């Protein structure tokens, strides 16, 4: 059973059902039921045309779910709308489905959450973590979004900004989380950049390429995380870096700065440094200042505190950190790093252990636990 094939076909099948008049929530349920049926049937009886089989099965699931006395009276008419047997067109509808999910009837945050859940394949927990909210809160937000678009015709696509936000979060989850979606996010952003002449689309593509270029060096052979300063830079993908920098420079030349261009500029400065010691932290702080102006994001301010600590010393970084909410994700890890650089090993070890307890994934938890153990061993010598 090729589960990757099923996952790749899901957006196209969902698009077909929405186009045929199914409301979004019911269409999503029908497609999921069809996937379950495929997992049961295909190992013994694989179809000649996988997409055609899924479209037909999902449409039938949708019809079955809405059976009632009135529906049964209309059954013969509805059956005529079933997709005809035979090969289905090999069309990638994923990006179009992203735009359809970013419906004007939804707030941007609800549209992003719904798209990540329905199309991106992320769990409610993963989406909640990206938004820095409790899982129960995100579950309610997604449920409200489904109710809002229930029965709505998806004939008015959403705006580019919302779609960019979705693609960015999908990439981040694929880059650092449990589900590998980074390559798919890059592919879709390339499609969007080819279709729309927009500096922020270019900025997002540059940002993805620059981050993805470092991926091979981010983990050791045993799977443990390798911090940026310790990465083997010879393993970075120089072709992707060059492409990302070229795309970014063209976008910045248009003098319409946005947050993705600013983030890409920071990534480019890291990529441009031959060694960690040669990183231009002063310029990076300046770009973080631009990001704060554009977004006023607490996460941006947290990352800025690290950059200030590198540019002006750890105590300056700790002063910047003191203005932020200590409950922010990774706040303890940043504080631990800055205290270690300032020579306070006891506080740093305690904070690394605290950060490990709050880590969002196993790899990060293991890394922080090792950092705490390393400092405790130094203190005992």
């Amino acid at each position: 059973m090729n589960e990757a094939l099923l996952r790749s076909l899901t957006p196209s099948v969902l698009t077909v059902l929405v186009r045929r008049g199914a409301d979004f929530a019911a269409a999503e349920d029908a497609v999921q039921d069809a996937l379950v049926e495929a997992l049961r049937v295909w190992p013994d009886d694989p179809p000649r045309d996988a997409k055609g089989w899924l479209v037909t099965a999902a449409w039938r699931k949708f019809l079955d779910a809405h059976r009632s006395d009135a529906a049964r009276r209309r059954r013969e008419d509805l059956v005529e709308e079933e997709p005809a047997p035979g090969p289905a067109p090999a069309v990638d509808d994923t990006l179009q489905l992203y735009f359809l999910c970013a419906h004007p009837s939804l707030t941007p945050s609800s549209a992003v959450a719904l798209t990540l859940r329905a199309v991106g394949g992320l769990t409610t927990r993963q989406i909640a973590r990206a938004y820095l909210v409790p899982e129960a809160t995100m579950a309610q937000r997604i449920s409200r979004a489904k109710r809002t678009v229930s029965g709505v015709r998806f004939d008015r696509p959403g705006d580019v900004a919302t779609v960019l936000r979705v693609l960015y979060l999908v990439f981040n989850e694929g880059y650092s989380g449990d589900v590998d979606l980074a390559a798919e996010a890059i592919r879709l952003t390339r499609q969007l950049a080819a279709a729309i002449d927009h500096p922020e689309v270019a900025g997002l593509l540059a940002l993805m390429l620059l981050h993805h270029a470092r991926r091979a060096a981010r983990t050791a052979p045993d799977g443990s995380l390798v911090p940026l300063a310790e990465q083997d830079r010879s393993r970075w993908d120089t072709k992707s870096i060059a492409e990302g920098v070229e795309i970014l420079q063209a976008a910045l030349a248009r003098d319409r700065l946005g947050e993705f261009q600013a983030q890409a500029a920071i990534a480019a400065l890291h990529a441009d440094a031959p060694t960690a010691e040669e990183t231009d932290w002063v310029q990076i702080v300046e770009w973080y200042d631009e990001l704060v102006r554009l977004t006023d994001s607490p996460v941006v301010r947290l990352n800025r505190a690290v950059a200030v600590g590198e540019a002006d010393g750890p105590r300056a970084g700790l002063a910047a950190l003191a203005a932020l909410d200590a409950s922010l994700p990774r706040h303890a890890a940043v504080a631990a790093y800055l205290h270690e650089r300032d020579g306070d090993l006891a506080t740093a070890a305690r904070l690394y252990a605290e950060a490990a307890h709050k880590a969002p994934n196993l790899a990060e938890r293991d890394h922080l636990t090792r950092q705490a153990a390393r400092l405790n061993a130094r203190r005992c010598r």
Side-chain angles (χ1 to χ4, degrees), residues 5 12 23 26 30 33 91 142 178 218 236 338 349 356 361 376 378:
L5 173 62
S12 295
D23 67 80
D33 288 342
V91 177
I142 294 172
D178 304 320
R218 289 184 72 245
W236 289 1
L338 292 171
N361 57 65
N376 284 325
R378 283 178 59 185

Side-chain angles (χ1 to χ4, degrees), residues 279-326:
T279 303
D280 191 342
W281 286 106
V282 173
Q283 271 205 71
I284 288 176
V285 171
E286 292 173 355
W287 277 111
Y288 271 122
D289 289 339
E290 290 289 345
L291 263 178
V292 169
R293 180 181 62 81
L294 290 165
T295 69
D296 196 28
S297 162
V299 174
V300 170
R301 291 182 181 274
L302 185 69
N303 291 333
R304 179 185 178 277
V306 177
V308 169
E310 298 289 352
D312 301 326
R315 294 193 179 182
L318 286 168
L321 188 65
L324 302 178
D325 186 348

Side-chain angles (χ1 to χ4, degrees), residues 59-77:
W59 183 250
R60 286 174 176 161
K61 296 289 185 184
F62 167 72
L63 296 181
D64 289 344
H66 285 74
R67 258 187 288 183
S68 64
D69 289 341
R72 281 193 292 270
R73 286 194 295 269
R74 300 195 307 270
R75 187 175 178 82
E76 290 185 3
D77 293 334

Side-chain angles (χ1 to χ4, degrees), residues 336-347:
Y337 174 73
L338 292 171
H339 276 291
E340 180 185 356
R341 289 201 59 223
D342 195 39
D344 187 351
L345 301 189
T347 301

Side-chain angles (χ1 to χ4, degrees), residues 13 23 34 48 54 56 76 137 154 174 192 218 225 276 286 291 309 315 334 348 353 370:
V13 177
D23 67 80
R48 287 191 297 271
L54 283 172
T56 301
E76 290 185 3
T137 301
F154 281 70
L192 189 58
R218 289 184 72 245
L225 291 181
E286 292 173 355
L291 263 178
R315 294 193 179 182
V334 171
R370 282 194 294 271

Side-chain angles (χ1 to χ4, degrees), residues 141-205:
R141 185 179 300 178
I142 294 172
S143 294
R144 284 196 300 270
K146 288 183 177 181
R147 287 196 298 270
T148 299
V149 300
S150 179
V152 171
R153 295 290 298 186
F154 281 70
D155 54 358
R156 292 187 298 151
D159 64 357
V160 174
T162 301
V163 174
L164 288 179
R165 177 64 52 193
V166 175
L167 289 169
Y168 175 61
L169 291 174
V170 169
F171 175 82
N172 277 346
E173 191 59 46
Y175 186 71
S176 61
D178 304 320
V179 182
D180 188 357
L181 297 168
E184 174 68 358
I186 292 174
R187 183 183 72 84
L188 293 173
T189 306
R190 283 192 187 278
Q191 286 187 7
L192 189 58
I196 299 177
D197 183 20
H198 192 296
E200 272 293 83
V201 176
L204 178 58
L205 179 57

